[in-house]
Structures are given as structure tokens and as C-alpha cells.
Amino acid sequence: GILTIFPGMFDSFLSHGIIRRAREEAIIRVVPIDIRDFAKGKHRTTDDKPYGGGSGMVMKPEPLAGAIQEAKARLPGATTVLLSPQGRRFTQMVAKEYAALKGVIFICGRYEGVDERIYKYIDDEISIGDYVLTGGEPAAMVMIDAVTRLLPGALGAEDSADKDSFSDHLLEHAHYTRPPVFEDEGVPEVLL
Ligand code: SAH
């Protein structure tokens, strides 16, 4: 489940490469939910000014709570995760944790972040690194990408994830393909 005010951002990401194939083969199922559908009023506002002042806007709790409840109803047993710079750091180990879950509901923040009272609906909070994005959407894509390729069958038979970098605390070796000489540089003899 992906909760966002910009569901269109995921169209291209979900329709290419391994992610596309994983969807076609029902290895993953993606349920996008537009937070704006749960916002009230003519303008369907999802943000408002922060109490106490300060710059920027804050995501209102009601539309988020409505969207999360809808997601939980459609994805029973799923874990809710808020993408946030304050979260625990996303690593290959965390990707493995997520690959074992029954389902995940990604909550993509925008503006200055979400109203603190939404945390009662949140099981986990993840940051993809110590930098600030304009929204949680790219972070959700990073998690979906890294987790999907760990799911059985996602990479195809000959291409396995267990030799990848980080899987045994080591980084992977260098790679070469044809041609055997490129701009005067050969391929290590041992590989030939
Ligand atoms: N004012 C906040 C930043 C908000 S950025 C702060 O200073 O901490 C807006 C949204 O982008 C956040 O709500 C979150 O969902 C997402 N986001 C930004 N940086 C992120 C990161 N490193 N990892 C995951 N999500 C991030």
C-alpha cells in the first residue's frame, strides 16, 4: 500500500524492469491510495499551518488517518511505515526484515512532515539517509525496489540476491562484459 498525495509519481517506477515483472507475476501487489481522497471540503486540503508558528505546512491528521484505515482494511496484517528523516536508517538488513513481512503500508510525508498525533497509526519509521527530500515518495520507491528484489522469484533463476553486496557484510566484486578490450583496457585474465 502506498499512501501519497502524488500517486502519479509511482506510474513509471512500477511499470519498468524487475518491479514491473514482479507485479505481473503477482510476487508483489501494489495498492496506491490518494490521501487527498480522504480530505474534506471543496479544496480537499491535506496540509495546514503549524501550531506555534515556524515556516512550512504540516500534513493534517484526519486525511492521513482515513487513508491509513482504508489501507489497513484492504491489506489486513500489513505493517505501517512512515518515511521520515527521523526514522531508523534503511539498510540491506532492514530490507530483509521487510521482505519477510506480509504486507507494508508506506506513508509518504510532504511539506514539513505529518501531525505528531498520526504516530498511533505507525508501526515503524524509516529514513533512507541523512538528507532531506521534498517528499517520502522517492524513499518509498527505494524501499519497494530493495525489498522486491529479495522476494523469492523476483530476480529470476540465474540471478540471485544472496551474493549481492551487504548480504554477507562484504561488497560485491567488479564486473566485466564484452568487448574483451574497451579503450585499450582489457579484462582481468582470471575472468577470461
Ligand atoms: N521538516 C522535516 C523534513 C520534511 S521533508 C525535517 O526537517 O525533518 C518532507 C517529507 O519527506 C517527510 O515527511 C518524509 O516523508 C520525507 N522525507 C524527507 N527526507 C527523508 C528521508 N531522508 N528518508 C525518508 N523520508 C524522507
Side-chain angles (χ1 to χ4, degrees):
I2 304 170
L3 274 54
T4 170
I5 57 168
F6 296 129
M9 282 183 76
F10 290 86
D11 293 347
S12 173
F13 168 68
L14 292 171
S15 55
H16 288 91
I18 302 277
I19 304 298
R20 177 204 181 117
R21 202 177 64 195
R23 291 178 68 206
E24 284 168 355
E25 292 175 9
I27 293 167
I28 59 167
R29 181 164 71 94
V30 180
V31 179
I33 292 179
D34 190 344
I35 296 166
R36 209 173 287 282
D37 289 344
F38 300 86
K40 299 228 160 53
K42 191 169 65 173
H43 301 293
R44 300 205 298 159
T45 312
T46 55
D47 60 314
D48 206 341
K49 284 188 283 220
Y51 278 117
S55 63
M57 301 294 266
V58 175
M59 288 187 88
K60 291 164 67 63
E62 308 96 313
L64 278 170
I68 294 169
Q69 278 158 358
E70 165 82 9
K72 284 181 171 224
R74 289 172 67 180
L75 304 163
T79 299
T80 55
V81 56
L82 176 69
L83 285 315
S84 147
Q86 286 89 40
R88 64 187 176 114
R89 179 77 64 85
F90 190 59
T91 62
Q92 189 70 6
M93 285 290 285
V94 177
K96 281 184 191 168
E97 255 178 60
Y98 271 75
L101 296 177
K102 185 172 175 201
V104 185
I105 297 166
F106 296 93
I107 300 153
C108 303
R110 279 270 150 185
Y111 320 111
E112 289 303 317
V114 301
D115 188 294
E116 190 71 15
R117 292 164 293 181
I118 215 65
Y119 276 84
K120 57 168 96 56
Y121 292 99
I122 307 291
D123 301 317
D124 198 5
E125 192 179 4
I126 296 279
S127 164
I128 61 161
D130 287 347
Y131 41 80
V132 181
L133 305 167
T134 58
E137 288 81 2
M141 289 182 213
V142 165
M143 287 189 70
I144 292 167
D145 194 275
V147 172
T148 299
R149 65 193 296 289
L150 293 176
L151 298 176
L155 291 186
E158 77 280 16
D159 212 4
S160 150
D162 53 291
K163 297 261 185 332
D164 278 337
S165 295
F166 311 114
S167 53
D168 48 11
H169 307 287
L170 297 172
L171 300 178
E172 212 185 45
H173 54 81
H175 300 278
Y176 294 86
T177 185
R178 285 181 288 185
V181 179
F182 169 69
E183 294 181 353
D184 295 331
E185 195 180 341
V187 173
E189 197 63 38
V190 65
L191 297 177
L192 297 169

